[in-house]
Amino acid sequence: MDIWQDLEAHRAAKAGRSIADLFAEDAERAARFSARFGDMLFDFSKTTIDDAAMSLLMELVRDAKLEERREAMFTGQKINETEDRAVLHTALRAPGGPILVDGEDVMPGVLETRRRMAEFARAVRDGTITGAGGAYTDVVNIGIGGSDLGPAMATLALAPYHDGPRVHYVSNVDGAHIHDTLKGLDPARTLVVVASKTFTTIETMTNAETARAWMAGAVERPGEQFAALSSAVDKTEAFGIDASRVFGFEDWVGGRYSLWGPIGLGIMLAVGPEDFADLLSGGAAMDAHFREADLADNLPVLLALVGIWHNQVCGHATRAVLPYDQRLLRLPAYLQQLEMESNGKRVTMDGADIERNSGPIVWGEPGTNGQHAFYQLIHQGTRVVPCEFMVAARGHEPELAHHHRLLIANCLAQAEALMRGRSLDEAMELMAKKGLSGPEQERQARHRVFPGNRPSTMLLYPQLTPHVLGQIIALYEHRVFVEGVILGINSFDQWGVELGKELALKLAPLLDGEDASGKDGSTRMLIETVRAMG
Ligand code: F6P
């Protein structure tokens, strides 16, 4: 039998045993099924993983030769085989080198770009570099996908550290986005940062042109109020952005892994180079942990194994990311791209059909808001949704410590409720206390039963500082890598986004009246109706 079959057999054999039973059997369960690194505690004891499951999952890791693949990534080998590229976002946060790609050390270039970014950010922040109307009050980052989600998420997460210009993010080609963002801004005191690895993405280039026209209506030399973050330096020049304002990076940085370098300029402008350096050092600390810690204590490996257990072994298609941290509002969206663009594949590295489900469907919202929206289904719906909670022991507002106490209490209580549930007997007793009896007591009680035994994990950290945020992001990046290695897929390409882009380009002229007869009946009807309504 192979390891996957052993895992499935083990799960089936233990299907009648609950998470609560596992705690009853083992007084040390919480300590044994949790791990700590640096500033964080990862508790996965409220899952059905037991010793036997863990040792089989570890066999999967060894069978996939994770340690070899990990070294191949960190040492610049071309593990992104379908694009023939190295995968070195870790170099962007490394304190130094050498790190070789094709025999050449990439670190001098990385450090020089980091230095230039810091110099530029300091000059914008202290008013040495100004717009036509004086010191910059606002920065508008125009980018999409990896050139938006990471920096937008991190900028919001670090709100307590903001002491620079206001930083806004525009991504959607829907004109409403740029319109509503620019409304009220002073073009003469706004810096526009065009963030695009390829500098060809239609949404970004359309928004960039619109921003340039907006700027040109108010200032004499609009090009001087633009900067670019891209690996296509020839194209940034053609757009008219001075080379001194262009921050480049190499093709070994994937879009969704790019916030650590030039794409993170918006974060740096908001919080300053020193706090940005702390973010990088948090990521680098997680890299060292991932590379050096025993597999059994290795947070990214454990987080990945929990993911594999829930998705590929137990068959739970989705996972909810539930930060009890309002400033992590955009984390679920960021993780959607990170996880779903990386591991949403249907063939293995060698082109064969993947034999099991690929990456999970990731979704979520911060608590406690989610509690008043979709937790009903998580507690009582017929499908199991593994929940990944996260919370800081301390907020940033000491004067509001009573809020934070309640926030933590809610987070821990939800995890407890999911595991414990409420039995029919307990619900019957509740109804009896309300004075019900007979069939009505049972009917009402049945609505108040919680099946329980619903799995969750908890990531607990002291406070959402730049360093801790860096650790969290790198933790998830490496988790995605480990899951991808176990599934044998390439986590670093994204061919699945191409077809829709191609069709959109061909479809746009049909909206203006070009012949749509080649389209299917539905698309044709929609085009005709848009023309009629528009
Ligand atoms: O469409 C997907 C994608 O290619 C992402 O992988 C990437 O982050 C995003 O588009 C934006 O690409 P670019 O930075 O080249 O504009």
Side-chain angles (χ1 to χ4, degrees), residues 248-311:
F249 53 102
E250 304 293 329
D251 70 1
W252 38 257
V253 182
R256 53 194 174 275
Y257 298 89
S258 62
L259 69 87
W260 312 95
I263 293 293
L265 184 67
I267 311 168
M268 196 191 260
L269 287 164
V271 303
E274 288 73 25
D275 287 333
F276 188 79
D278 284 348
L279 177 82
L280 298 193
S281 75
M286 185 56 74
D287 292 342
H289 167 75
F290 177 48
R291 211 168 168 184
E292 288 154 20
D294 280 354
L295 296 179
D297 304 316
N298 198 306
L299 259 60
V301 173
L302 293 171
L303 195 55
L305 293 182
V306 171
I308 293 280
W309 173 255
H310 285 148
N311 183 5

Coordinates of all heavy atoms in Angstrom, one line a residue, residues 248-311:
G248 N 14.0 47.8 -10.3 CA 13.9 46.6 -11.0 C 14.1 45.3 -10.2 O 14.7 45.4 -9.1
F249 N 13.6 44.2 -10.7 CA 13.9 42.9 -10.1 C 13.9 41.9 -11.1 O 13.5 42.1 -12.3 CB 12.9 42.6 -8.9 CG 11.4 42.7 -9.3 CD1 10.7 41.5 -9.5 CD2 10.8 43.9 -9.3 CE1 9.4 41.5 -9.8 CE2 9.4 43.9 -9.7 CZ 8.7 42.8 -9.9
E250 N 14.4 40.7 -10.8 CA 14.7 39.7 -11.8 C 13.6 38.7 -12.0 O 12.6 38.7 -11.1 CB 16.0 38.9 -11.4 CG 17.2 39.8 -11.1 CD 17.7 40.4 -12.4 OE1 17.6 39.8 -13.5 OE2 18.2 41.6 -12.3
D251 N 13.6 37.9 -13.0 CA 12.5 37.0 -13.3 C 12.4 35.8 -12.3 O 11.5 35.0 -12.3 CB 12.6 36.5 -14.7 CG 13.7 35.5 -14.9 OD1 14.5 35.2 -14.0 OD2 13.9 35.0 -16.1
W252 N 13.4 35.7 -11.4 CA 13.3 34.7 -10.3 C 12.5 35.1 -9.1 O 12.4 34.4 -8.1 CB 14.7 34.2 -9.9 CG 15.8 35.2 -9.8 CD1 16.8 35.4 -10.7 CD2 16.0 36.1 -8.7 NE1 17.6 36.4 -10.2 CE2 17.2 36.9 -9.0 CE3 15.3 36.4 -7.5 CZ2 17.7 37.9 -8.2 CZ3 15.8 37.4 -6.7 CH2 17.0 38.1 -7.0
V253 N 11.8 36.2 -9.2 CA 10.8 36.6 -8.2 C 9.4 36.5 -8.8 O 9.0 37.2 -9.7 CB 11.0 38.1 -7.8 CG1 10.0 38.4 -6.7 CG2 12.4 38.3 -7.3
G254 N 8.6 35.6 -8.3 CA 7.2 35.5 -8.8 C 6.4 36.6 -8.3 O 6.6 37.1 -7.2
G255 N 5.4 37.0 -9.1 CA 4.5 38.2 -8.7 C 4.0 38.0 -7.3 O 4.0 39.0 -6.5
R256 N 3.4 36.9 -6.9 CA 2.7 36.7 -5.6 C 3.7 36.6 -4.5 O 3.3 36.5 -3.3 CB 1.7 35.6 -5.7 CG 2.3 34.3 -6.1 CD 1.2 33.3 -6.5 NE 1.7 32.0 -7.1 CZ 2.0 31.9 -8.4 NH1 1.8 32.9 -9.2 NH2 2.4 30.7 -8.8
Y257 N 5.0 36.5 -4.8 CA 6.1 36.4 -3.8 C 6.9 37.7 -3.7 O 8.0 37.6 -3.2 CB 7.0 35.2 -4.1 CG 6.2 33.9 -4.1 CD1 5.6 33.4 -5.3 CD2 6.1 33.1 -2.9 CE1 4.9 32.2 -5.3 CE2 5.4 31.9 -2.9 CZ 4.8 31.5 -4.1 OH 4.1 30.3 -4.1
S258 N 6.4 38.8 -4.3 CA 7.3 39.9 -4.6 C 7.3 41.1 -3.6 O 8.0 42.0 -3.8 CB 7.1 40.4 -6.0 OG 5.7 40.9 -6.1
L259 N 6.5 41.0 -2.6 CA 6.4 42.2 -1.7 C 7.7 42.6 -1.0 O 7.8 43.6 -0.5 CB 5.2 42.0 -0.8 CG 5.3 41.0 0.4 CD1 6.0 41.6 1.6 CD2 4.0 40.5 0.8
W260 N 8.6 41.6 -1.0 CA 9.9 41.8 -0.2 C 10.9 42.8 -0.9 O 11.8 43.2 -0.3 CB 10.5 40.5 0.0 CG 9.6 39.5 0.6 CD1 9.0 38.5 -0.2 CD2 9.2 39.3 1.9 NE1 8.2 37.7 0.6 CE2 8.3 38.2 1.9 CE3 9.5 39.9 3.1 CZ2 7.7 37.7 3.1 CZ3 8.9 39.4 4.3 CH2 8.0 38.4 4.2
G261 N 10.6 43.0 -2.2 CA 11.6 43.8 -3.0 C 10.9 45.1 -3.4 O 10.0 45.7 -2.7
P262 N 11.2 45.6 -4.6 CA 10.6 46.8 -5.2 C 9.1 46.9 -5.1 O 8.6 47.9 -4.7 CB 11.1 46.8 -6.6 CG 12.4 46.1 -6.6 CD 12.3 45.0 -5.5
I263 N 8.4 45.8 -5.3 CA 7.0 45.8 -5.2 C 6.5 46.2 -3.8 O 5.4 46.7 -3.6 CB 6.4 44.4 -5.6 CG1 6.6 44.1 -7.1 CG2 4.9 44.3 -5.3 CD1 5.9 45.1 -8.1
G264 N 7.4 46.1 -2.8 CA 7.0 46.6 -1.5 C 7.3 48.1 -1.2 O 7.2 48.5 -0.1
L265 N 7.6 48.8 -2.3 CA 7.9 50.2 -2.1 C 6.8 51.0 -1.4 O 7.1 51.9 -0.5 CB 8.3 50.9 -3.4 CG 8.7 52.4 -3.3 CD1 10.1 52.5 -2.6 CD2 8.8 53.0 -4.7
G266 N 5.6 50.7 -1.7 CA 4.4 51.4 -1.0 C 4.5 51.2 0.5 O 4.2 52.1 1.3
I267 N 4.8 49.9 0.9 CA 4.9 49.7 2.3 C 6.0 50.5 2.9 O 5.9 51.2 4.0 CB 5.3 48.2 2.6 CG1 4.4 47.2 1.8 CG2 5.2 47.9 4.1 CD1 4.9 45.8 1.8
M268 N 7.2 50.6 2.2 CA 8.3 51.3 2.7 C 8.0 52.8 2.8 O 8.4 53.5 3.8 CB 9.5 51.1 1.8 CG 10.8 51.5 2.4 SD 12.2 51.5 1.2 CE 13.0 49.9 1.5
L269 N 7.3 53.3 1.8 CA 6.9 54.7 1.9 C 6.0 55.0 3.1 O 6.1 56.1 3.7 CB 6.2 55.1 0.6 CG 7.2 55.3 -0.7 CD1 6.4 55.3 -2.0 CD2 8.0 56.5 -0.6
A270 N 5.2 54.1 3.4 CA 4.2 54.3 4.5 C 4.9 54.2 5.9 O 4.6 55.0 6.7 CB 3.1 53.3 4.4
V271 N 5.8 53.2 6.0 CA 6.3 52.9 7.4 C 7.8 53.3 7.5 O 8.3 53.4 8.7 CB 6.1 51.4 7.8 CG1 4.7 51.0 7.7 CG2 7.0 50.5 6.9
G272 N 8.5 53.6 6.4 CA 9.9 53.9 6.5 C 10.8 52.7 6.3 O 10.4 51.6 6.6
P273 N 12.0 53.0 5.9 CA 13.0 51.9 5.6 C 13.3 51.0 6.8 O 13.5 49.9 6.7 CB 14.2 52.6 5.1 CG 13.7 53.9 4.6 CD 12.5 54.3 5.4
E274 N 13.3 51.6 8.0 CA 13.7 50.8 9.2 C 12.6 49.8 9.5 O 13.0 48.6 9.7 CB 13.9 51.7 10.4 CG 15.2 52.6 10.3 CD 15.1 53.8 9.3 OE1 13.9 54.2 9.0 OE2 16.1 54.2 8.8
D275 N 11.4 50.2 9.5 CA 10.3 49.2 9.8 C 10.2 48.2 8.6 O 9.9 47.0 8.9 CB 9.0 49.9 10.0 CG 8.9 50.6 11.3 OD1 9.6 50.2 12.2 OD2 8.2 51.6 11.4
F276 N 10.5 48.6 7.4 CA 10.5 47.7 6.3 C 11.6 46.7 6.5 O 11.4 45.5 6.2 CB 10.7 48.5 5.0 CG 10.5 47.6 3.7 CD1 9.2 47.3 3.3 CD2 11.6 47.1 3.0 CE1 9.0 46.5 2.2 CE2 11.4 46.3 1.9 CZ 10.1 46.0 1.5
A277 N 12.8 47.1 7.0 CA 13.9 46.2 7.3 C 13.5 45.2 8.3 O 13.8 44.0 8.2 CB 15.1 47.0 7.7
D278 N 12.6 45.6 9.3 CA 12.1 44.6 10.3 C 11.2 43.6 9.7 O 11.2 42.4 10.1 CB 11.4 45.4 11.4 CG 12.3 46.1 12.3 OD1 13.5 45.8 12.3 OD2 11.8 46.9 13.1
L279 N 10.4 44.0 8.7 CA 9.6 43.1 8.0 C 10.4 42.0 7.3 O 10.2 40.8 7.4 CB 8.7 43.8 6.9 CG 7.8 43.0 6.0 CD1 6.5 42.7 6.8 CD2 7.5 43.8 4.7
L280 N 11.5 42.5 6.6 CA 12.4 41.6 5.9 C 13.1 40.6 6.9 O 13.2 39.4 6.6 CB 13.5 42.4 5.1 CG 13.1 43.3 4.0 CD1 14.3 43.7 3.2 CD2 12.0 42.7 3.1
S281 N 13.5 41.2 8.0 CA 14.2 40.3 9.0 C 13.3 39.3 9.6 O 13.7 38.1 9.9 CB 14.9 41.1 10.1 OG 13.9 41.6 11.0
G282 N 12.0 39.6 9.7 CA 11.0 38.6 10.1 C 10.9 37.4 9.1 O 10.9 36.3 9.4
G283 N 10.9 37.8 7.8 CA 10.8 36.8 6.7 C 12.1 36.0 6.7 O 12.0 34.8 6.6
A284 N 13.2 36.7 6.9 CA 14.5 35.9 6.8 C 14.6 35.0 8.0 O 15.2 33.9 7.9 CB 15.7 36.9 6.8
A285 N 14.1 35.4 9.2 CA 14.1 34.5 10.4 C 13.3 33.2 10.1 O 13.7 32.1 10.4 CB 13.6 35.2 11.6
M286 N 12.1 33.4 9.4 CA 11.3 32.2 9.1 C 12.0 31.4 8.1 O 12.0 30.1 8.1 CB 9.9 32.7 8.6 CG 9.0 31.5 8.3 SD 8.7 30.4 9.8 CE 7.7 31.4 10.8
D287 N 12.8 32.0 7.1 CA 13.5 31.2 6.1 C 14.5 30.3 6.9 O 14.7 29.1 6.5 CB 14.3 32.1 5.2 CG 13.4 32.9 4.3 OD1 12.2 32.5 4.1 OD2 13.9 33.9 3.7
A288 N 15.3 30.9 7.8 CA 16.3 30.1 8.5 C 15.7 29.0 9.3 O 16.2 27.9 9.3 CB 17.1 31.1 9.5
H289 N 14.5 29.3 9.9 CA 13.8 28.2 10.6 C 13.4 27.1 9.7 O 13.6 25.9 10.0 CB 12.6 28.8 11.3 CG 11.6 27.8 11.9 ND1 11.8 27.1 13.0 CD2 10.4 27.4 11.4 CE1 10.8 26.3 13.2 NE2 9.9 26.5 12.3
F290 N 12.8 27.5 8.6 CA 12.3 26.5 7.6 C 13.5 25.6 7.1 O 13.3 24.4 6.9 CB 11.6 27.2 6.4 CG 11.1 26.3 5.3 CD1 10.4 25.2 5.6 CD2 11.4 26.6 4.0 CE1 10.0 24.3 4.6 CE2 10.9 25.8 2.9 CZ 10.2 24.7 3.2
R291 N 14.6 26.3 6.9 CA 15.7 25.6 6.3 C 16.5 24.7 7.3 O 17.0 23.6 6.9 CB 16.7 26.6 5.8 CG 17.5 26.2 4.6 CD 18.2 27.4 4.0 NE 19.2 26.9 3.0 CZ 20.0 27.7 2.4 NH1 20.0 29.0 2.6 NH2 20.9 27.2 1.5
E292 N 16.4 25.1 8.6 CA 17.3 24.4 9.6 C 16.5 23.5 10.6 O 17.1 22.6 11.1 CB 18.1 25.4 10.3 CG 19.2 26.1 9.4 CD 19.6 27.4 9.9 OE1 19.3 27.8 11.0 OE2 20.2 28.2 9.0
A293 N 15.3 23.9 10.9 CA 14.7 23.2 12.0 C 14.3 21.8 11.6 O 14.0 21.5 10.5 CB 13.4 23.9 12.5
D294 N 14.3 20.9 12.6 CA 13.8 19.5 12.4 C 12.4 19.5 11.7 O 11.6 20.4 12.1 CB 13.7 18.7 13.7 CG 15.0 18.2 14.1 OD1 16.0 18.4 13.4 OD2 15.1 17.7 15.3
L295 N 12.2 18.6 10.9 CA 10.8 18.6 10.2 C 9.7 18.5 11.2 O 8.7 19.2 11.1 CB 10.7 17.4 9.3 CG 11.7 17.4 8.1 CD1 11.5 16.2 7.2 CD2 11.5 18.7 7.2
A296 N 10.0 17.8 12.3 CA 8.9 17.7 13.3 C 8.6 18.9 14.1 O 7.5 19.1 14.7 CB 9.3 16.6 14.3
D297 N 9.5 19.9 14.1 CA 9.3 21.2 14.8 C 9.2 22.3 13.8 O 9.3 23.5 14.2 CB 10.5 21.5 15.7 CG 10.7 20.4 16.7 OD1 9.8 19.9 17.2 OD2 11.9 20.0 16.8
N298 N 9.1 22.0 12.6 CA 9.2 23.0 11.5 C 7.8 23.6 11.2 O 7.0 22.9 10.6 CB 9.8 22.3 10.3 CG 10.4 23.3 9.3 OD1 9.7 24.2 8.9 ND2 11.7 23.1 8.9
L299 N 7.6 24.9 11.5 CA 6.2 25.4 11.4 C 5.7 25.4 10.0 O 4.5 24.9 9.8 CB 6.2 26.9 11.9 CG 5.6 27.1 13.3 CD1 6.4 26.3 14.3 CD2 5.5 28.6 13.6
P300 N 6.4 25.8 8.9 CA 5.8 25.6 7.6 C 5.5 24.2 7.2 O 4.5 23.9 6.6 CB 6.9 26.2 6.7 CG 7.7 27.1 7.5 CD 7.7 26.5 8.9
V301 N 6.3 23.3 7.6 CA 6.1 21.8 7.3 C 4.8 21.4 8.1 O 3.9 20.8 7.5 CB 7.3 21.0 7.7 CG1 6.9 19.5 7.6 CG2 8.5 21.3 6.9
L302 N 4.7 21.8 9.3 CA 3.5 21.3 10.1 C 2.2 21.9 9.5 O 1.2 21.3 9.4 CB 3.7 21.7 11.6 CG 4.8 20.9 12.3 CD1 5.1 21.5 13.7 CD2 4.5 19.4 12.4
L303 N 2.3 23.2 9.2 CA 1.1 23.9 8.7 C 0.7 23.2 7.3 O -0.5 23.0 7.1 CB 1.5 25.4 8.4 CG 0.3 26.4 8.2 CD1 -0.7 26.4 9.3 CD2 0.9 27.8 8.0
A304 N 1.7 22.9 6.5 CA 1.4 22.2 5.3 C 0.8 20.8 5.5 O -0.2 20.4 4.8 CB 2.7 22.0 4.5
L305 N 1.3 20.1 6.5 CA 0.8 18.8 6.7 C -0.7 18.8 7.2 O -1.5 18.0 6.9 CB 1.7 18.0 7.7 CG 3.1 17.7 7.1 CD1 3.9 16.9 8.1 CD2 3.0 16.9 5.8
V306 N -1.0 19.8 8.0 CA -2.4 20.0 8.4 C -3.2 20.3 7.2 O -4.3 19.7 7.1 CB -2.5 21.2 9.5 CG1 -3.9 21.5 9.7 CG2 -1.8 20.8 10.8
G307 N -2.7 21.1 6.3 CA -3.4 21.4 5.1 C -3.7 20.1 4.2 O -4.8 19.9 3.7
I308 N -2.6 19.3 4.1 CA -2.7 18.1 3.3 C -3.7 17.1 4.0 O -4.6 16.5 3.3 CB -1.3 17.4 3.2 CG1 -0.4 18.3 2.3 CG2 -1.4 16.0 2.6 CD1 -0.5 18.2 0.8
W309 N -3.6 17.0 5.3 CA -4.5 16.1 6.0 C -6.0 16.5 5.7 O -6.8 15.7 5.4 CB -4.2 16.2 7.5 CG -5.1 15.4 8.4 CD1 -6.1 16.0 9.2 CD2 -5.2 14.0 8.6 NE1 -6.8 15.0 9.9 CE2 -6.3 13.8 9.5 CE3 -4.6 12.9 8.0 CZ2 -6.7 12.5 9.9 CZ3 -5.0 11.6 8.4 CH2 -6.0 11.4 9.4
H310 N -6.3 17.8 5.9 CA -7.6 18.2 5.7 C -8.1 18.2 4.3 O -9.2 17.7 4.0 CB -7.8 19.7 6.3 CG -7.8 19.7 7.8 ND1 -7.3 20.8 8.5 CD2 -8.2 18.8 8.7 CE1 -7.4 20.5 9.8 NE2 -8.0 19.3 9.9
N311 N -7.3 18.6 3.3 CA -7.8 18.7 2.0 C -7.7 17.4 1.2 O -8.7 16.8 0.8 CB -7.0 19.8 1.2 CG -7.4 20.0 -0.2 OD1 -8.4 19.5 -0.7 ND2 -6.7 20.9 -0.9

